[in-house]
Amino acid sequence: MRQRAGFTLIEVMIVVAIAAILAAVAIPSYLDYIVRGKRAAARQVLLEAAQFLERNFTAAGCYDFADIAACRSRSGAATPRPSTLLRAPAEGRQSHAVTWTFAADGQAYTLTATPCGAVGANCPAGAESSFVDADCGALTLTQTGLRGAVGTVADCWRR
């Protein structure tokens, strides 16, 4: 009598079912982790840009011009915008476009990080043009520290 080696169809189906259950749990968790990581990078760039603008305000007296004379005359050299503060993450493949909006008197600003997959996002070729943060959308930050998001602000800015 010879013993047969191998697996039965039932054993293979059980292994496939277990693998499918693990994948059904792991893939959504992984995708959520990726979105949260990109959102954290956008928050980091917004906070760095706010610090940059606050230093400029301290030196020049306004947010939108680079020196005191330009702030007073409301013309002249605009505040330089470092390229690392116009995209998120600052290094690697871009997932968010960061825009700076100033009040007419230069005494206020709003920073906005818009996912590259959103309509109207100004992202270059090579950026993650399909990335959309369905839970939080665009993140905003003002000169008063007011934080905004399409979703719940506490959840979007917390993690």
Side-chain angles (χ1 to χ4, degrees):
M1 297 214 160
R2 207 195 238 183
Q3 250 185 344
R4 295 184 184 204
F7 300 106
T8 65
L9 181 60
I10 294 295
E11 290 171 333
V12 171
M13 292 304 293
I14 289 171
V15 169
V16 168
I18 291 172
I21 291 169
L22 289 175
V25 171
I27 291 174
S29 295
Y30 173 74
L31 294 176
D32 185 50
Y33 176 76
I34 294 297
V35 169
R36 285 190 327 208
K38 291 177 183 181
R39 190 182 308 142
R43 287 192 314 257
Q44 175 186 350
V45 169
L46 289 178
L47 293 171
E48 287 176 10
Q51 290 174 353
F52 178 84
L53 288 171
E54 292 301 330
R55 285 191 302 270
N56 185 77
F57 186 87
T58 301
C62 66
Y63 293 110
D64 54 350
F65 288 102
D67 57 48
I68 295 171
C71 284
R72 288 183 181 155
S73 66
R74 304 299 306 144
S75 65
T79 301
R81 298 180 187 193
S83 62
T84 56
L85 299 179
L86 297 175
R87 60 188 311 269
E91 297 176 358
R93 193 164 178 211
Q94 182 176 354
S95 62
H96 289 78
V98 179
T99 56
W100 301 16
T101 307
F102 299 104
D105 62 358
Q107 301 298 307
Y109 66 82
T110 301
L111 301 170
T112 306
T114 307
C116 286
V119 176
N122 188 18
C123 295
E128 293 189 45
S129 59
S130 63
F131 176 71
V132 176
D133 187 351
D135 294 333
C136 295
L139 301 174
T140 60
L141 182 64
T142 68
Q143 82 286 351
T144 61
L146 181 64
R147 299 171 177 185
V150 173
T152 307
V153 174
D155 291 338
C156 294
W157 278 86
R158 181 183 55 201
R159 41 174 229 166

